[in-house]
Amino acid sequence: MKKQFIKSLPAVILLVGAFMILSGCEKKKEKVDQNNDLNGMSWSVMYYGLGSYNKVCGVITKYYFIDGDSIVENTAYKKLYYYKDEQHAERFYEGLMRKDESKWYFVPQGKNQEYLMYDFNITEGSTFEGKYVKEEETYKYYVRQVDNTNILGKEVKRIRFSYSATDDSNTDTWYDNIGSTKGLLNTICMSKDGADKILLCVNKNAEIVYKNVLFDKCYYGNGDIEEVDEIINPKK
């Protein structure tokens, strides 16, 4: 009986090992499947400078998009690139993105640190703690309101922020699985004095899932300064 048990022991160990490996594969597959939700996504973000009397003095649009995969220390990511010309002639590498349940993370080019971009399950009255990449400066957003709104015929969760519970200003607004109305990277890139940014369009494959109602196009450049200024600074 003892000999039979000893003979069967390697087979038991092999089966347990195989189960552990397969379980690990299932977990890794689940993470990869979550990342695949980012496939086909693109964000058009307009950056503009502000001169005297807040007049718009420079305009550029960056078209961010997902293309390709990467593995860093056993963690699966999607590669994020951008174009900064309307013809999409030359692309630039921005960093790595991944999705884990309701949270999006980002690893900037040249960095080994992962930053939390979004938590779309954050609750009203709670606080989002973020960190700006270049400045290595932390900040806090207070969640003023969580509700649903209609975007292009679909109900989408909307999250509105302020700097504190007593602050009535709208610091930022997020839409579930879309991002900030101030651009995809707004939560990790601090806006500089005399400059700002705004989300124009978001696509999922060939479908438009977000369109800024103030702007007719998904791309604006320096030739559109007057048009953009009239939208940013409407005459009273």
Side-chain angles (χ1 to χ4, degrees):
M1 181 70 180
K2 187 175 181 180
K3 288 183 178 179
Q4 184 178 354
F5 172 76
I6 293 173
K7 286 182 179 179
S8 62
L9 188 59
V12 173
I13 293 173
L14 184 62
L15 286 171
V16 171
F19 175 77
M20 291 175 66
I21 291 171
L22 288 173
S23 298
C25 287
E26 284 300 315
K27 289 180 180 178
K28 186 175 289 188
K29 182 178 183 297
E30 183 179 327
K31 299 293 184 184
V32 171
D33 288 344
Q34 288 184 37
N35 280 342
N36 284 340
D37 289 343
L38 296 171
N39 284 342
M41 291 202 70
S42 61
W43 301 259
S44 295
V45 183
M46 182 179 71
Y47 295 79
Y48 58 96
L50 296 169
S52 301
Y53 305 103
N54 281 334
K55 184 175 177 61
V56 175
C57 59
V59 177
I60 185 175
T61 299
K62 289 187 177 181
Y63 174 85
Y64 296 92
F65 62 100
I66 299 293
D67 186 17
D69 304 278
S70 183
I71 302 292
V72 179
E73 296 182 355
N74 294 321
T75 301
Y77 291 93
K78 293 294 180 181
K79 295 179 181 179
L80 181 70
Y81 294 88
Y82 70 90
Y83 295 109
K84 56 183 180 181
D85 63 289
E86 191 172 9
Q87 292 73 33
H88 296 175
E90 182 180 6
R91 72 179 188 174
F92 302 85
Y93 175 67
E94 187 70 56
L96 301 171
M97 282 180 64
R98 73 177 179 93
K99 179 180 179 181
D100 188 353
E101 302 295 341
S102 65
K103 297 179 179 180
W104 289 8
Y105 295 90
F106 184 69
V107 180
Q109 180 186 15
K111 295 270 189 178
N112 294 320
Q113 181 179 350
E114 186 179 73
Y115 293 79
L116 175 63
M117 298 176 74
Y118 298 100
D119 180 358
F120 294 113
N121 264 354
I122 199 166
T123 56
E124 192 169 314
S126 62
T127 301
F128 175 81
E129 296 189 24
K131 190 172 186 179
Y132 295 123
V133 174
K134 291 183 179 179
E135 295 79 10
E136 289 293 332
E137 180 180 328
T138 57
Y139 66 90
K140 292 183 180 181
Y141 280 170
Y142 174 78
V143 184
R144 294 175 55 215
Q145 183 182 26
V146 178
D147 61 6
N148 290 329
T149 189
N150 187 287
I151 298 180
L152 301 175
K154 294 183 179 180
E155 286 293 306
V156 179
K157 182 194 290 186
R158 176 175 57 187
I159 307 170
R160 292 179 173 178
F161 296 90
S162 60
Y163 285 119
S164 69
T166 57
D167 181 15
D168 291 330
S169 65
N170 187 35
T171 305
D172 198 2
T173 300
W174 298 353
Y175 293 112
D176 190 20
N177 286 313
I178 289 174
S180 167
T181 56
K182 294 195 173 191
L184 174 65
L185 303 180
N186 183 60
T187 58
I188 57 172
C189 294
M190 181 185 291
S191 294
K192 297 179 181 179
D193 291 339
D196 211 341
K197 51 190 179 294
I198 190 166
L199 183 67
L200 297 176
C201 303
V202 179
N203 285 266
K204 173 70 173 177
N205 297 319
E207 180 185 3
I208 298 177
V209 295
Y210 173 84
K211 176 76 168 59
N212 193 308
V213 296
L214 296 177
F215 296 86
D216 294 330
K217 302 182 294 185
C218 293
Y219 180 89
Y220 290 85
N222 279 329
D224 304 303
I225 288 178
E226 291 301 323
E227 180 182 350
V228 172
D229 185 64
E230 289 178 4
I231 298 171
I232 300 297
N233 301 306
K235 294 178 181 179
K236 297 180 181 180

